[in-house]
Amino acid sequence: MSLEMGNNLEQEIEKVKNTETILVIDDSPTNLEVLYSALSSAGYEVLVEMDGMSGIEQIKNNPPDLILLDIMMPKLDGFETCRLLQADLSTKDIPIIFITALADIEEKVKGLSLGAVDYITKPFQQDEVLARVHLHLKLRRLNIELDQQKQLLEKRVEERTVELYQALEQLKKTQLQLVQSEKISSLGQIVAGIAHEVNNPIGLISTNLYYAKHYVGELINLVKLYQNNFPYPGQDIEDRMETMDLEHVLEDLPKLISSMKLGTDNIRGIMQSLRNFSRADGEQKKSIDIHEGIETTLLILQYRLKAKTKRPAIQIVREYGNLPKIECYPGQLNQVFMNLLVNAIDSLDESFVIKKQCVAEVPSVITPAVHLSLIKDKDQMTVDKGLCTNPQIRICTNVDKEQVTISISNNGMGIPDLFPSQIFPPFFSTKPKTKGNELGLAISYQIITENHGGKLQCISLPDKGTEFIIQIPL
């Protein structure tokens, strides 16, 4: 070995002096003394054992950084000792260098195949021993550093994955906000246009009906006055009066005018409700009556509550508490009411269809008391037609010192086999793909939790119905 190489080796050894432990296992005291002296002089901490079992016990109690292991030992030879150490997860990564006087290549290959990293031959060459020991200790340090870097990289990847997931969730929320804003904006423009086009002719009709009612009243009074003064107007006039049923006309015409006036007032109310529902919210919250928003939404959905050929009319049960005016975004809150009520109506429609399929024949007159028991394949199944024939949506409101609670529940089929929290992510739906854009509940959840700092919960049991609970802090 050249002088320069020797100096470099000494410098490398000096860097790790007093930091690494080497265990020498050899049944020869002479070999132990030689190796101990050489390794100690090089600055390593050296432990010695004279048999395999003692060596294994020492390794478990005080794991070294490297093991020098003699092959030829009584009781437990080096090969078996190496095999046992490699089979133990706590010791398998400690590098093992075999000590051997054997020159047989097969024995060396056997040792390497058992997990040893190198071998040194007897008699020992001190420089060779130190060089090999230093090399494998350095490789061990590099492997440890590599493992640490791997763990650090995995941690960074995990953190980055979390960041990307959070960014994706934020992107979804942003998309929802854009969809919501565009939806409300478009709806507001459409409603404003329709209201303008409808209000003009309705206003004209309503105004003219006022005068028409007055004129009709005057004409009716004139006819009655004429009948009093001329009770016998002649046969032709009497025949005409009988044909047209003059008495009925005189009685019904004012009612007809009043009915027309009521119809125009209803149209005006509906248009105003549409305007209120679709109004754009400003940056500041407004103080409103929650019940007005609910009633406005119910008025818009009135056509869906009516009886259909496959379903009776949906009954609305109101249990309103005495609520104060609430600071909120009215347009957004109306959208939540719309989404939850539409969801309830869809659930009842679907429940009624599914339950009717369970019945072979349905009586022409259905009452809530009708029950049907079916027996099939030795399994008895009872279908309660009360839920099926009496669809119902219950709306409850109450207030305490901290919050306003609004509950919207239905007696439909419920949401099967799902945790309630699973229904709020975007694009989740229990409906067929042809129905809706699957964003209603996600938008509602965001409006309540983020924009109003409240809570939106879902409680659902199969065949028992579904309840959505809105809580808005005061």
Side-chain angles (χ1 to χ4, degrees):
M1 180 181 293
S2 67
L3 179 61
E4 183 179 356
M5 292 179 62
N7 291 336
N8 291 337
L9 178 60
E10 290 177 0
Q11 292 174 1
E12 291 292 327
I13 293 175
E14 188 67 25
K15 292 180 181 179
V16 296
K17 188 177 290 186
N18 299 325
T19 61
E20 290 161 315
T21 303
I22 300 172
L23 173 64
V24 183
I25 306 175
D26 197 320
D27 62 339
S28 169
T30 302
N31 291 340
L32 291 177
E33 182 179 354
V34 171
L35 291 171
Y36 183 87
S37 176
L39 295 171
S40 297
S41 299
Y44 296 110
E45 181 180 350
V46 183
L47 304 175
V48 297
E49 293 292 345
M50 298 189 67
D51 62 80
M53 294 303 298
S54 299
I56 292 175
E57 189 69 24
Q58 176 71 262
I59 292 168
K60 290 183 177 181
N61 293 332
N62 187 20
D65 296 295
L66 185 140
I67 301 170
L68 296 179
L69 178 61
D70 187 22
I71 292 178
M72 303 300 294
M73 293 186 298
K75 297 182 181 179
L76 196 66
D77 64 16
F79 290 142
E80 183 63 18
T81 302
C82 180
R83 188 188 66 79
L84 293 174
L85 291 173
Q86 289 295 302
D88 191 333
L89 292 177
S90 64
T91 60
K92 67 183 298 293
D93 292 328
I94 302 175
I96 298 174
I97 298 177
F98 274 127
I99 304 171
T100 179
L102 301 175
D104 190 351
I105 297 298
E106 292 184 1
E107 294 296 325
K108 294 178 180 178
V109 170
K110 178 181 179 181
L112 295 174
S113 64
L114 285 173
V117 296
D118 204 347
Y119 63 90
I120 55 177
T121 57
K122 304 174 186 177
F124 305 120
Q125 298 295 324
Q126 181 173 337
D127 289 343
E128 179 187 3
V129 171
L130 293 178
R132 292 180 184 275
V133 166
H134 173 69
L135 172 64
H136 289 292
L137 285 173
K138 183 176 181 180
L139 290 174
R140 174 171 170 77
R141 290 196 302 273
L142 291 175
N143 285 331
I144 292 174
E145 291 176 4
L146 182 62
D147 186 62
Q148 291 173 344
Q149 290 294 327
K150 177 184 174 183
Q151 294 179 7
L152 180 61
L153 181 60
E154 290 176 348
K155 182 179 179 181
R156 289 178 178 175
V157 169
E158 183 179 352
E159 291 174 350
R160 185 59 177 163
T161 302
V162 171
E163 291 175 1
L164 290 174
Y165 175 78
Q166 292 173 344
L168 179 60
E169 290 300 308
Q170 185 60 43
L171 179 60
K172 288 181 179 180
K173 291 179 180 179
T174 303
Q175 289 176 328
L176 284 177
Q177 290 175 346
L178 291 174
V179 170
Q180 173 189 334
S181 300
E182 183 63 25
K183 182 176 180 180
I184 293 297
S185 176
S186 299
L187 181 60
Q189 294 175 9
I190 293 172
V191 169
I194 294 175
H196 177 73
E197 295 299 325
V198 172
N199 280 337
N200 286 338
I202 288 297
L204 180 64
I205 294 172
S206 180
T207 301
N208 288 336
L209 281 175
Y210 172 79
Y211 294 105
K213 183 177 181 180
H214 176 70
Y215 298 154
V216 167
E218 292 293 330
L219 288 174
I220 290 174
N221 291 333
L222 180 60
V223 170
K224 290 182 177 179
L225 182 62
Y226 182 84
Q227 287 177 324
N228 291 333
N229 292 322
F230 300 96
Y232 304 105
Q235 190 62 43
D236 292 340
I237 296 177
E238 289 181 0
D239 291 341
R240 183 62 178 171
M241 291 169 58
E242 184 177 355
T243 301
M244 67 180 295
D245 194 359
L246 181 61
E247 294 299 325
H248 173 72
V249 172
L250 295 176
E251 181 183 354
D252 193 55
L253 190 54
K255 297 179 182 178
L256 183 62
I257 297 296
S258 297
S259 178
M260 294 171 65
K261 183 64 169 63
L262 179 61
T264 58
D265 291 342
N266 286 341
I267 293 175
R268 280 183 162 180
I270 291 173
M271 298 313 300
Q272 185 59 47
S273 296
L274 285 172
R275 282 181 168 179
N276 293 339
F277 177 82
S278 59
R279 60 189 168 189
D281 293 318
E283 295 183 359
Q284 300 296 326
K285 294 181 178 180
K286 298 178 182 178
S287 182
I288 67 160
D289 184 350
I290 292 290
H291 296 151
E292 288 184 2
I294 296 174
E295 291 302 319
T296 294
T297 308
L298 289 172
L299 180 61
I300 295 172
L301 292 174
Q302 190 63 41
Y303 76 102
R304 292 206 57 188
L305 301 174
K306 295 179 180 180
K308 298 181 179 180
T309 55
K310 296 181 179 180
R311 170 184 58 73
I314 296 176
Q315 180 186 6
I316 302 295
V317 179
R318 297 170 174 84
E319 297 180 359
Y320 290 165
N322 186 19
L323 303 186
K325 289 191 174 182
I326 307 300
E327 292 288 330
C328 65
Y329 298 105
Q332 296 182 21
L333 212 54
N334 288 341
Q335 188 177 0
V336 173
F337 296 149
M338 175 66 76
N339 291 335
L340 297 184
L341 287 169
V342 167
N343 189 77
I345 295 171
D346 289 341
S347 176
L348 290 170
D349 286 345
E350 185 68 20
S351 299
F352 191 81
V353 171
I354 291 175
K355 291 189 177 184
K356 283 202 74 172
Q357 292 174 351
C358 298
V359 186
E361 294 182 1
V362 180
S364 57
V365 178
I366 305 176
T367 65
V370 176
H371 291 76
L372 177 68
S373 295
L374 300 177
I375 299 177
K376 185 178 181 181
D377 299 331
K378 299 181 181 181
D379 293 328
Q380 184 170 349
M381 176 177 60
T382 301
V383 180
D384 187 352
K385 298 302 295 175
L387 289 176
C388 182
T389 59
N390 186 29
Q392 185 180 98
I393 296 175
R394 185 179 298 273
I395 306 173
C396 306
T397 63
N398 59 75
V399 63
D400 56 28
K401 295 181 180 180
E402 298 180 353
Q403 62 191 8
V404 169
T405 302
I406 304 136
S407 167
I408 299 177
S409 60
N410 68 79
N411 59 352
M413 291 291 288
I415 303 174
D417 303 325
L418 289 171
F419 295 105
S421 59
Q422 290 180 285
I423 69 173
F424 292 118
F427 306 108
F428 170 86
S429 179
T430 58
K431 305 173 188 176
K433 293 295 183 181
T434 55
K435 290 188 177 181
N437 58 12
E438 304 171 351
L439 292 173
L441 291 179
I443 290 175
S444 299
Y445 186 81
Q446 183 178 345
I447 289 173
I448 296 299
T449 58
E450 296 187 12
N451 298 359
H452 291 84
K455 296 179 181 179
L456 177 58
Q457 299 172 296
C458 174
I459 302 173
S460 183
L461 295 173
D463 295 324
K464 298 294 184 181
T466 302
E467 180 182 15
F468 286 94
I469 301 174
I470 302 169
Q471 293 175 320
I472 300 176
L474 294 175

